[in-house]
Amino acid sequence: MVLNRVFNQPPVMHPKARQDITRQNVGELFQTAAFRDLVANRLANSVKIPTITYDGMGHVGEDSRWDVFYEFSDYLRKSFPRVYESLTVETINEHGLLYTWQGAQEDMKPLLFMAHSDVVPAGESTTEAWTYPPFSGYYDGEYIWGRGSEDDKSNLIAMLSAIDCLLACGFAPNRTVIVSNGFDEEGGAEQSYGARCLAETLLDRYGTNGIEMIFDEGIAGVEKRFGTDFALPATAEKGYIDVTVTVNVPGGHSSTPPDHTAIGYLAQIVRLIEDHPFTSQLVRNNPTLTYLRQAALYSKAMPEDLRQAILSSQSPKKLLDYMDSDRERRAMIRTSTAVDVIQGGDKVNSLPENASILVNHRIAIQDSVTAVKDHYIQLLGPWAKERSFKLYAFGAQSPPENATLTALSNTSDSGDLTLTAHYELEPSPVSSAEDPRFALLAGTIKGVFGDDVVVAPEMLTGNTDTRYYWDLSPQIYRMSPWRACHDPRGTRMHTVDERMPIKGLMEMVHFYHEFIRVVDEVRIEDT
């Protein structure tokens, strides 16, 4: 393990040009109750439109469940007339929205913001548990309540509100600004009708690495750790693979069972999988290492033994033990394993002929899709051999040694063990925290949230729509720019009582407003 080189915390950055905009918007407008309520109601009314994406939805134009997105697009047009009059707004594949604010300097690569308008279902079984109905969009003066209020309509409304404010002041960008809004980010990994089509359009238009930098959703970006406020834009995200493990054995009447049914065999396999996790590693290109270094240098209340373990690089085991002691930290450095779905059995007096599990993996930066498959083969191959099972591993048959098909067919307890993979995504490229574009982001964050905020890159354990945008820019950041402390009960995305604090929403508007201006004033090659 080798710690990343430390980068110095950048200075606070504020826009230098058009100080009248700073006075008019940041100093005055953003502080008014009327503007706060305007933005809150924009979000609240967007939440009332149930733009739900379900798993397994049919093609756009064929599945009527997509039709609600027409209502959402109409709502945005009516809510932001100035944006629609001044920007080029394109509809991609029926419900994807591409906003282009053309800059005066064509040789400056565009700044790209991403968001998505779809939400996960609220769940009928939990409807009664919500403080307010999940699609009420209720605004109580402190929070906007409802599904999608945080993930991710808050970002979209904040982006468009910031642009609207700049347009009202007559701001004309030098650098083109793009907002790319997808509509099926929550719809599962197998197919994308939104982000994929949007990314293909942008790649055709601007070419490989034709975008200066990309900013998409992520965790609530400013949170307290070690007694210190940290802003944590993710500069990489883990890979993804689902693995189905299926056991097939002869059936029969339950009155004369074998020692193990298909479900019994599957239980052995589940235990094997969970008892043999992937190895935790702190590799050099994992942004978690840079975060740890920054935390050790700048945090106010880190335990001294941990601080020294990070700074000295002499205690790798102590550092690994610290990361492994908490599941959130562990996920940053290990390929995760989650046995999420199990199926098997039809009737109580009938032996199950097959049983299966679906296992989700988020692939750590040091691993790969192939490494996950090899892990299964190495782990379950000996199990199958010992029990004379035929192993079909990811499309290839591996019959047990010293066993013929005839012998297998005459062994009552023998069967088939099949491994299949669904949706394979390698870990993302890592955006460098030493790049001048990261310094622009970090400086703007400090300008909005305060110079005492420590900015450090982090690994995102989930996946965003940026997986389709990797070829557009080497610098991709994932973060929702608001303080998590505004909701003391923690973020509530994807669960009961999802809500967005109005203070956080206003911070998002402020950030997008300032980031557009800061990046507009800088030619990257000159930084």
Side-chain angles (χ1 to χ4, degrees), residues 351-370:
L351 297 174
E353 295 180 332
N354 58 73
S356 65
I357 54 172
L358 181 61
V359 191
N360 175 248
H361 298 279
R362 305 304 172 106
I363 305 173
I365 201 166
Q366 69 270 12
D367 290 328
S368 64
V369 168
T370 298

Side-chain angles (χ1 to χ4, degrees), residues 235-241 278 283 285-287 331-336 361-373 423-431 459-464 466-471 476 478:
T235 55
E237 61 185 58
K238 297 175 80 173
Y240 185 108
I241 185 172
F278 289 81
V283 295
N285 63 335
N286 190 330
M332 301 290 182
I333 62 170
R334 178 192 294 184
T335 295
S336 61
H361 298 279
R362 305 304 172 106
I363 305 173
I365 201 166
Q366 69 270 12
D367 290 328
S368 64
V369 168
T370 298
V372 173
K373 292 180 178 179
Y423 188 72
E424 303 172 9
L425 178 70
E426 299 290 353
S428 77
V430 180
S431 299
M459 170 70 71
L460 192 66
T461 55
N463 296 110
T464 71
T466 55
R467 62 187 181 271
Y468 299 104
Y469 289 66
W470 292 350
D471 289 339
I476 301 177
R478 308 153 184 90

Side-chain angles (χ1 to χ4, degrees), residues 348-416:
V348 71
N349 62 347
S350 178
L351 297 174
E353 295 180 332
N354 58 73
S356 65
I357 54 172
L358 181 61
V359 191
N360 175 248
H361 298 279
R362 305 304 172 106
I363 305 173
I365 201 166
Q366 69 270 12
D367 290 328
S368 64
V369 168
T370 298
V372 173
K373 292 180 178 179
D374 288 346
H375 178 82
Y376 271 88
I377 293 170
Q378 293 165 12
L379 183 63
L380 299 183
W383 182 95
K385 177 181 176 182
E386 182 179 343
R387 291 158 183 79
S388 297
F389 269 65
K390 287 182 288 185
L391 175 62
Y392 297 89
F394 307 107
Q397 179 182 351
S398 303
E401 294 180 11
N402 304 319
T404 66
L405 293 178
T406 301
L408 285 170
S409 65
N410 292 331
T411 304
S412 61
D413 287 346
S414 67
D416 296 338

Side-chain angles (χ1 to χ4, degrees), residues 14-25 517 521:
H14 294 293
K16 297 177 181 177
R18 293 292 307 271
Q19 287 303 299
D20 59 308
I21 294 179
T22 301
R23 289 190 299 270
Q24 182 175 330
N25 286 346
R517 297 173 67 202
E521 295 178 3

